[in-house]
Amino acid sequence: MGQDQTKQQIEKGLHLYQSNQTEKALRVWMRVLEKSADPAGRFRVLGCLITAHAEMGRYKDMLKFAVVQIDTARELEDPDFLTESYLNLARSNEKLCEFQKTISYCKTCLNMQGTTVSQQLNGQDYEKALFFPCKAAELVNDYGKGWSLKYRAMSQYHMAVAYRKLGRLADAMDCCEESMKIALQHGDRPLQALCLLCFADIHRSRRDVQTAFPRYDSSMSIMTEIGNRLGLIQVLLGVTKCWMIQKELDKALESIEKAQELAEGLGNKLGLLKLHCLCERIYRTKEQQQELRDHVVKFHECVEEMELYCGMCGESIGEKNNQLQALPCSHFFHLKCLQTNGTRGCPNCRRLSVKPGYV
């Protein structure tokens, strides 16, 4: 298969994929991969296969094609292709929760291209968290049907999460329903699992735990199927909170134990921090002082390790909804603290920063 025919077949596969005929598209692309003699075409079709398997939650297959793409990029001797293939390899390992490998491959990309990495904070500035997916949704609407529904679905999901945390549960439900509808149409299993988790969280926020539990179970089933261990931790956190609402504290501790095992296995410090916070509340209610002290200490150790505190006032970030701001040096502060500091620079690294960035 020559260059022109390879290009035509790749486009045919893309048309099928966009028409929600996923399996037919995969067959077309696999045929290209087997028969094409064009290395650049093979590289491109591998990118299509990687993306498709990522969206279907088939992360082991995603990794398999990413490894083949690395070899193809080396054959082409093109630094841009090589950078893209390492990035796909990093994404594949991230989906499989192989975070040390993910970091290693990302560093390889940075060393090759000299690019910069932006930092994200899992703090609690919900208004700002809502701003970005809303802007994404506006862009999708402005540019019309030419944009993939995938972006609309993801923006609606993230809006749902932010709305729920702001207490706007009706808006959260509307956005989550729209995201779930698209996810079901396209067979997007990872997004379906996230939407089910969000639905469960919304019902829990309404203190309707009997409706929440089945949705947590469905989300957990898909998370287990696709190997999303980070998602499983989030599900178990939600289940724990449901048991706490019902004052079933021993059952809550059983869910925490399962989540803690996963979080420790992944080195997920943010998950451990949330678990210690829940344990603190449980043992305070049970009046078990020694266990309470242990988890208070562990909670603050996590805060120190993750530097989840304002560099000006010293208060921890993430315990409640606060307005946050980031300076160009990537250090985070409470907005009110930053306003009192004016433009004198970052108190952490002493760099001048005339204009703050945004979290």
Side-chain angles (χ1 to χ4, degrees), residues 56-90:
M56 290 186 292
R58 299 177 185 174
Y59 301 136
K60 290 183 180 179
D61 289 328
M62 179 187 179
L63 177 61
K64 178 182 71 176
F65 290 118
V67 171
V68 177
Q69 193 182 48
I70 284 275
D71 294 335
T72 306
R74 286 175 178 151
E75 181 184 344
L76 287 163
E77 298 181 348
D78 186 307
D80 290 334
F81 283 163
L82 200 55
T83 301
E84 183 181 337
S85 60
Y86 270 112
L87 187 57
N88 282 330
L89 200 55

Side-chain angles (χ1 to χ4, degrees), residues 220 236-237 239-241 243-244 248-262 275 279 282-283 286:
M220 184 178 293
L236 288 166
L237 282 167
V239 170
T240 299
K241 292 173 184 177
W243 288 127
M244 291 172 70
E248 297 275 3
L249 300 185
D250 290 334
K251 290 183 178 179
L253 287 171
E254 288 176 12
S255 296
I256 285 175
E257 187 177 348
K258 294 176 185 176
Q260 187 170 344
E261 185 179 348
L262 282 168
L275 291 167
C279 284
I282 291 170
Y283 287 120
K286 290 168 75 76

Side-chain angles (χ1 to χ4, degrees), residues 236-339:
L236 288 166
L237 282 167
V239 170
T240 299
K241 292 173 184 177
C242 283
W243 288 127
M244 291 172 70
I245 289 171
Q246 292 192 318
K247 302 189 185 305
E248 297 275 3
L249 300 185
D250 290 334
K251 290 183 178 179
L253 287 171
E254 288 176 12
S255 296
I256 285 175
E257 187 177 348
K258 294 176 185 176
Q260 187 170 344
E261 185 179 348
L262 282 168
E264 287 175 349
L266 295 173
N268 180 11
K269 293 181 182 178
L270 183 62
L272 288 170
L273 181 145
K274 292 178 179 179
L275 291 167
H276 292 314
C277 187
L278 291 174
C279 284
E280 179 186 343
R281 288 167 53 191
I282 291 170
Y283 287 120
R284 193 181 299 280
T285 302
K286 290 168 75 76
E287 297 183 348
Q288 295 181 220
Q289 297 302 318
Q290 184 58 52
E291 289 84 354
L292 171 61
R293 283 193 291 271
D294 289 345
H295 285 286
V296 169
V297 169
K298 289 175 181 177
F299 173 85
H300 287 290
E301 285 175 353
C302 286
V303 170
E304 287 292 326
E305 287 177 15
M306 298 176 68
E307 298 184 8
L308 286 178
Y309 51 83
C310 175
M312 298 184 70
C313 70
E315 291 184 9
S316 60
I317 290 172
E319 291 186 70
K320 56 185 178 180
N321 185 13
N322 285 310
Q323 287 187 295
L324 306 176
Q325 200 82 330
L327 297 178
C329 58
S330 297
H331 286 126
F332 295 95
F333 304 91
H334 292 122
L335 179 60
K336 57 181 174 57
C337 296
L338 206 61
Q339 288 170 338

Side-chain angles (χ1 to χ4, degrees), residues 45-214:
V45 82
L46 282 163
C48 294
L49 288 164
I50 290 165
T51 300
H53 284 89
E55 292 182 356
M56 290 186 292
R58 299 177 185 174
Y59 301 136
K60 290 183 180 179
D61 289 328
M62 179 187 179
L63 177 61
K64 178 182 71 176
F65 290 118
V67 171
V68 177
Q69 193 182 48
I70 284 275
D71 294 335
T72 306
R74 286 175 178 151
E75 181 184 344
L76 287 163
E77 298 181 348
D78 186 307
D80 290 334
F81 283 163
L82 200 55
T83 301
E84 183 181 337
S85 60
Y86 270 112
L87 187 57
N88 282 330
L89 200 55
R91 286 172 53 222
S92 304
N93 280 282
E94 185 259 339
K95 294 294 186 183
L96 291 166
C97 299
E98 296 285 355
F99 299 122
Q100 291 301 322
K101 291 181 181 179
T102 301
I103 292 168
S104 175
Y105 291 130
C106 284
K107 285 180 178 178
T108 302
C109 292
L110 293 174
N111 291 336
M112 291 173 65
Q113 292 293 331
T115 55
T116 58
V117 174
S118 63
Q119 295 186 348
Q120 295 183 346
L121 175 69
N122 198 342
Q124 295 194 22
D125 185 347
Y126 301 140
E127 289 82 2
K128 208 166 274 183
L130 180 61
F131 171 79
F132 293 106
C134 283
K135 290 299 292 182
E138 285 177 19
L139 281 170
V140 173
N141 289 332
D142 289 345
Y143 284 89
K145 294 181 180 178
W147 280 48
S148 171
L149 281 174
K150 172 183 69 176
Y151 298 116
R152 180 173 184 81
M154 286 306 298
S155 63
Q156 291 294 320
Y157 162 73
H158 287 294
M159 286 165 65
V161 172
Y163 276 136
R164 184 190 67 79
K165 293 187 177 183
L166 284 167
R168 296 169 58 177
L169 301 183
D171 291 327
M173 185 63 79
D174 289 343
C175 290
C176 198
E177 284 175 349
E178 183 169 354
S179 181
M180 185 61 155
K181 181 180 177 181
I182 298 170
L184 288 169
Q185 287 174 348
H186 289 262
D188 189 336
R189 299 287 281 167
L191 184 55
Q192 289 172 31
L194 291 174
C195 287
L196 285 164
L197 172 58
C198 188
F199 281 134
D201 286 341
I202 292 168
H203 289 296
R204 174 174 55 80
S205 297
R206 291 172 172 167
R207 305 188 78 78
D208 182 3
V209 296
Q210 296 306 319
T211 306
F213 273 132

